Amino acid sequence: MEPETQNHDHQSPETSPSPKCCAKCGGPTTFPPPPKSLYSDISPPPNYRPVRAPAINLPPNNHSQAIILAPVPQSQKVPTITAPFEFQTPSKKIQSPDDIRHFIDSDTGKNFLGFVVALSESIRGHKISDPCHESQTINTIVSILNELLQWAEEIPPLQQSARYGNLAYRTWHSRLTDNSESLMLRFLPNELQAAVIEIVPYFNDSFGNSSRIDYGTGHETNFASWLYCLARMGVIKEEDYHAVVSRVFAKYLELMRKLQLVYCMEPAGSHGVWGLDDYHFLPFIFGSSQLIDHKYMKPKSIHNQDILDNFADEYMYLSCIAFVKKVKKGLFAEHSPLLDDISGVPNWNKVNSGLLKMYKAEVLEKVPIMQHFLFGSLIRCEIIDF
């Protein structure tokens, strides 16, 4: 009788209930699994999909695929102008995607982007406080930006119910436009003082729009255009590029954050959570270049609050992340998913090259941004039939 009992014990697993698990995700459950006959090979049970899959794992669409496959922009030397000069009031020329394509493919468009790349390369591996060549022109420009910062202290925000757009900003901007010509004359040599008619519009449009009280990457690009104009005139030279980023642009970024917070400036053309940042793009490019080949800090280091607290003053990228976390509430992966995904990139070199390609595609090739771009004798328009 014992063999029969053993045989019975051997057959019992077939009749015992199978482990209870979810048919969709395989996780444990208190409910028994449904009969296998409910699903056929043609229509299997649906796979589990999270509420928001990480954007880095999403299948790329045609636009993002084009950015990935695009060549990395290369730095270029800025050709300086020679006498006789033909300075003129710059004007808008871009009205359509075809105009954008003409500009991007032109020597002017390529050289402007090459200038941005050259600025990025100049700060590679350097902290903001690292010593560098500081010309009298650089020091004068920094002092001008410090003066604009002081104006924000002298013109307090008005008490109003609106969330965005404090009307006191218009007073600040009005003072800017009233004084911009005299500010330019502080560093322009005598033979180039006639250039104020051309460079002042770029400068005035670098700090936001006084009607809408907003600021975005288009205004930031105007500041880069203003710097490019100074390089075209030879006022800024290649040996100044390091200081242009670590002294001038760092001070400009400090000023813009002050204006954004004091006057509650609205983001201009923000992509919301799917954008890189509500206001800026260039500091991410320059900041990622600073961190290339850093021994300890990797892209994923942005999630370490101690690193942000101790190194945000020295590295522009970390400063941007710290500012985003300061002004936005909630989980970082939810309010800034693109920045969160970039933190998964293995090294800063890939981050920097990807951001340069993205800047070209998402800023310089967008009509809503570039329709406000100004052209004159320093940034020539090569668009046919404009």
Side-chain angles (χ1 to χ4, degrees):
M1 297 299 291
E2 290 180 3
E4 292 180 2
T5 304
Q6 292 175 356
N7 186 50
H8 176 74
D9 293 340
H10 178 71
Q11 296 295 331
S12 61
E14 295 182 2
T15 58
S16 62
S18 59
K20 296 179 180 180
C21 59
C22 179
K24 293 183 179 180
C25 67
T29 177
T30 57
F31 299 99
K36 292 185 178 180
S37 58
L38 286 179
Y39 304 114
S40 67
D41 294 335
I42 299 176
S43 179
N47 293 324
Y48 169 74
R49 174 172 289 179
V51 175
R52 188 196 74 79
I56 199 170
N57 293 326
L58 290 175
N61 56 34
N62 292 336
H63 181 63
S64 62
Q65 187 71 13
I67 296 177
I68 294 171
L69 297 177
V72 179
Q74 301 297 311
S75 64
Q76 291 190 15
K77 291 184 178 295
V78 176
T80 55
I81 59 173
T82 56
F85 307 121
E86 299 177 352
F87 299 119
Q88 58 187 264
T89 303
S91 58
K92 301 174 184 178
K93 304 292 184 182
I94 292 177
Q95 299 178 355
S96 68
D98 288 338
D99 294 339
I100 291 256
R101 181 52 49 197
H102 284 302
F103 170 66
I104 291 296
D105 293 338
S106 69
D107 291 339
T108 299
K110 293 175 181 177
N111 194 245
F112 174 73
L113 182 57
F115 171 70
V116 172
V117 179
L119 291 179
S120 174
E121 291 178 352
S122 72
I123 197 69
R124 179 171 177 166
H126 292 288
K127 296 185 294 185
I128 290 178
S129 64
D130 282 353
C132 61
H133 171 71
E134 296 182 47
S135 65
Q136 183 58 44
T137 298
I138 294 296
N139 291 332
T140 303
I141 294 174
V142 172
S143 70
I144 290 172
L145 295 175
N146 274 322
E147 189 171 333
L148 302 187
L149 267 167
Q150 183 58 36
W151 292 355
E153 295 288 343
E154 298 170 3
I155 305 173
L158 301 175
Q159 294 294 326
Q160 60 183 52
S161 58
R163 177 186 176 189
Y164 282 117
N166 194 282
L167 298 179
Y169 172 77
R170 292 177 179 168
T171 304
W172 183 93
H173 198 275
S174 177
R175 185 184 292 189
L176 170 71
T177 55
D178 290 342
N179 292 274
S180 54
E181 285 194 18
S182 63
L183 295 176
M184 299 301 101
L185 294 176
R186 291 184 188 180
F187 60 83
L188 286 177
N190 292 334
E191 65 273 16
L192 291 173
Q193 291 195 353
V196 293
I197 189 176
E198 186 157 342
I199 67 173
V200 160
Y202 291 105
F203 187 74
N204 287 345
D205 285 346
S206 299
F207 306 96
N209 183 276
S210 60
S211 299
R212 299 186 300 271
I213 314 182
D214 64 3
Y215 175 88
T217 51
H219 303 104
E220 180 186 69
T221 299
N222 269 321
F223 189 73
S225 303
W226 178 72
L227 294 172
Y228 178 75
C229 289
L230 299 185
R232 288 273 286 138
M233 294 187 292
V235 176
I236 289 177
K237 301 176 174 60
E238 279 194 54
E239 57 264 30
D240 296 320
Y241 284 5
H242 183 173
V244 167
V245 178
S246 64
R247 304 294 186 266
V248 174
F249 195 86
K251 183 60 66 175
Y252 169 74
L253 187 58
E254 178 187 348
L255 168 61
M256 289 318 308
R257 285 175 179 160
K258 178 84 170 180
L259 297 179
Q260 290 155 18
L261 292 176
V262 170
Y263 302 120
C264 302
M265 299 182 73
E266 187 170 1
S270 171
H271 290 276
V273 298
W274 295 112
L276 187 68
D277 182 83
D278 282 342
Y279 299 103
H280 293 285
F281 202 115
L282 291 178
F284 291 94
I285 294 177
F286 301 151
S288 60
S289 182
Q290 284 183 278
L291 290 161
I292 291 175
D293 297 330
H294 195 283
K295 289 183 179 180
Y296 309 111
M297 282 185 278
K298 308 300 179 186
K300 64 182 179 181
S301 298
I302 67 168
H303 301 295
N304 187 322
Q305 190 60 43
D306 286 340
I307 288 180
L308 296 181
D309 293 340
N310 288 287
F311 297 101
D313 291 339
E314 292 287 6
Y315 295 98
M316 215 172 282
Y317 194 99
L318 301 181
S319 173
C320 291
I321 298 296
F323 186 75
V324 168
K325 289 187 173 184
K326 175 183 176 182
V327 299
K328 293 187 177 182
K329 305 301 180 184
L331 294 175
F332 185 75
E334 293 182 356
H335 62 62
S336 302
L338 184 55
L339 290 173
D340 185 59
D341 290 343
I342 291 173
S343 70
V345 176
N347 58 69
W348 289 110
N349 196 45
K350 288 185 177 294
V351 172
N352 182 254
S353 60
L355 289 175
L356 284 168
K357 292 191 286 186
M358 189 176 172
Y359 181 71
K360 178 175 179 284
E362 296 293 343
V363 177
L364 299 184
E365 293 183 359
K366 294 298 184 183
V367 174
I369 296 174
M370 296 302 290
Q371 66 182 347
H372 304 293
F373 196 78
L374 300 173
F375 294 91
S377 68
L378 298 172
I379 303 179
R380 291 194 173 276
C381 179
E382 299 176 33
I383 300 172
I384 302 174
D385 296 328
F386 58 85

